[in-house]
Amino acid sequence: MAADRAGPRVMGIVNVTPDSFSDGGRFLGAERAVEHARQLLAEGADILDIGGESTRPGAAPVPVEAEVGRILPVVRAMRAAGAVVSIDTMKPEVMRAAAAEGASIWNDVTALGFSPASAAVAAELGCEVMLMHMQGEPRTMQDNPVYQDVVREACAFLQARAEAAMAAGVRREAIWVDPGIGFGKTLAHNLELLANLDQVRALGFRTVLGVSRKRFLKAIDPTAVEADDRLGGSLAGALIGAEAGVDLVRVHDVRETVQALKTWSLVEARRPGAS
Ligand code: HH2
């Protein structure tokens, strides 16, 4: 891991989806993803988060075999390149297959809640787990999210899921928690969470934050229609995470994020009273 700066480590997002413009299908999708993943590593990613199923509202579910088939070639190539590999999946069968190829982190947007077997499988594999808060399920989560107190409820959920994971045998040190920006949340809910990340940190686990290219950034800047129009908001998110002391940011734009975090950390080191 990069030791040349303080602040959060960077997890680069690698989406493996079949190439719809070519009859090479799955293979080409994986080949492109490997190329992309190599680039993110070269740009300074500390971890690669490999996913074969989108969690966007309206995205079609992907069967286990197809998801495994998409991600495994990328996991193998990235392990051969010496990368730390995380798998973005809800399915224990997918994580099991990826762990057999050397993936060491299970990033689960359902916080091990999708299958009753998830927590036991995580314990058995001995992998690290990223538990994320979501209200509802991906298909409908943005319809009308309601909270009394989004920060308190997200923290209580994460605490409960961490306890369930530990009860199943997952080690405390292996657990990360993530407030799940954009998952069943309005703009106001997302901003409230970003303003109170210290409360997520206070749970006592390592913390992950994902703001990169999220749709709520379009509510802030309506001209940011396409996901890759949202670099400014994404970098702001990484810096908000850095200020709050989160341990890891999950991003698409690794080079730009590393540059922003380096700049931030050089200034931090020069603040009056910094050691
Ligand atoms: N966000 C997405 C997926 N996985 N995992 C964690 N831990 N935290 C997040 O905020 C998070 C996540 C968003 O997924 P999707 O909409 O499929 O797009 P992409 O994977 O390109 O970010």
Side-chain angles (χ1 to χ4, degrees):
M1 291 212 176
D4 61 338
R5 60 167 177 81
R9 300 300 91 192
V10 171
M11 179 157 80
I13 299 167
V14 182
N15 289 318
V16 196
T17 44
D19 186 329
S20 53
F21 299 105
S22 127
D23 49 17
R26 168 200 294 184
F27 174 68
L28 252 190
E31 210 171 53
R32 280 202 184 156
V34 167
E35 200 178 302
H36 182 58
R38 282 193 204 288
Q39 187 187 333
L40 299 187
L41 265 189
E43 290 177 357
D46 300 288
I47 301 172
L48 294 174
D49 191 34
I50 300 172
E53 178 178 47
S54 174
T55 49
R56 282 189 197 122
V62 180
V64 170
E65 301 71 35
E67 197 177 332
V68 169
R70 286 178 185 183
I71 65 165
L72 275 200
V74 190
V75 174
R76 286 192 190 111
M78 289 306 102
R79 287 297 298 144
V84 176
V85 169
S86 154
I87 305 297
D88 191 347
T89 186
M90 316 178 194
K91 306 190 190 87
E93 300 88 342
V94 173
M95 187 60 212
R96 191 187 284 286
E101 299 291 340
S104 55
I105 306 173
W106 182 355
N107 175 23
D108 185 357
V109 298
T110 69
L112 302 180
F114 177 72
S115 156
S118 293
V121 170
E124 178 202 325
L125 296 175
C127 57
E128 296 181 33
V129 293
M130 292 178 177
L131 306 174
M132 197 198 76
H133 174 265
M134 165 162 47
Q135 186 181 81
E137 45 134 340
R139 204 169 42 82
T140 52
M141 65 188 176
Q142 289 307 107
D143 289 354
N144 182 28
V146 177
Y147 300 85
Q148 296 287 323
D149 180 335
V150 67
V151 178
R152 200 170 43 73
E153 288 168 49
C155 287
F157 172 89
L158 292 172
Q159 179 71 41
R161 296 310 301 160
E163 273 162 21
M166 291 188 286
V170 176
R171 290 163 300 120
R172 167 171 273 278
E173 313 74 63
I175 296 176
W176 303 71
V177 292
D178 181 333
I181 298 299
F183 283 83
K185 282 138 192 142
T186 63
L187 169 62
H189 296 142
N190 290 319
L191 296 175
E192 196 63 23
L193 284 165
L194 289 171
N196 290 283
L197 292 170
D198 54 325
Q199 294 192 43
V200 181
R201 284 191 67 212
L203 296 172
F205 301 96
R206 282 181 289 172
T207 45
V208 190
L209 181 66
V211 172
S212 187
R213 298 187 181 181
K214 293 250 158 108
R215 268 215 296 199
F216 82 99
L217 298 170
K218 190 171 77 174
I220 296 172
D221 172 9
T223 71
V225 176
E226 302 298 331
D228 61 5
D229 293 334
R230 302 174 195 157
L231 179 59
S234 304
L235 294 176
L239 294 174
I240 290 163
E243 284 289 340
V246 305
D247 297 290
L248 187 68
V249 287
R250 178 183 183 275
V251 308
H252 300 84
D253 303 288
V254 169
R255 178 170 181 255
E256 293 79 359
T257 305
V258 169
Q259 188 181 94
L261 290 173
K262 265 190 182 164
T263 308
W264 172 85
S265 106
L266 287 167
V267 173
E268 278 302 292
R270 282 160 180 77
R271 283 200 195 283
S275 51

